[in-house]
Amino acid sequence: QVQLVESGGGLVQPGGSLRLSCAASGTIFFAYAMGWYRQAPGKQRELVAAITKGGNTNYADSVKGRFTISRDNAKNTVYLQMSSLKPEDKAGYYCNRGAFSSGGYSPGDYWGQGTQVTVSS
């Protein structure tokens, strides 16, 4: 059974940083692309960043230059380093096991439970 467990969320002041982690189990982690999504109240879930099984990355325009996705296949974990956080980054953050195609990252069926990020002074 595939499980994805996020951690690392919390309350941070504008301009601050957080690192989110997503630990995977029950899957051949290195064989899959992984993505981080976020969802704010009343808004649709959106892709924030994704990483191929080979380590290539892509980002939403809203987070480019501020967020960095990475993976450690030895630890079955994907990370999202978030810097220069803004109030509009406040959301629940979810990791996903998916795949890349010519159209970009496509989410798979497995999601974590999410971790909440709040950016406020």
Side-chain angles (χ1 to χ4, degrees), residues 11-24:
L11 172 64
V12 63
Q13 292 186 342
S17 299
L18 282 175
R19 189 177 80 155
L20 306 183
S21 300
C22 171

Side-chain angles (χ1 to χ4, degrees), residues 6 20 22 33-40 44-51 58 60 67 69 78 80 82 89 91-99 104-108 110-112 114-115 117:
E6 301 96 335
L20 306 183
C22 171
M34 298 294 296
W36 280 99
Y37 285 75
R38 67 184 179 188
Q39 187 169 21
Q44 288 190 329
R45 191 169 291 192
E46 63 173 348
L47 179 64
V48 174
I51 187 166
N58 66 17
F67 290 12
I69 188 171
V78 60
L80 186 67
M82 305 185 296
D89 294 319
Y93 283 74
Y94 302 84
C95 68
N96 173 264
R97 190 190 81 171
Y105 182 82
S106 295
Y110 296 102
W111 296 86
T115 187
V117 172

Side-chain angles (χ1 to χ4, degrees), residues 9 23 39 41 46 48 50 55 57 62 65-66 68-69 73 81 101-102 107 114:
Q39 187 169 21
E46 63 173 348
V48 174
T57 59
S62 59
R66 300 189 299 121
T68 302
I69 188 171
N73 289 338
Q81 177 68 48
S101 67
S102 58

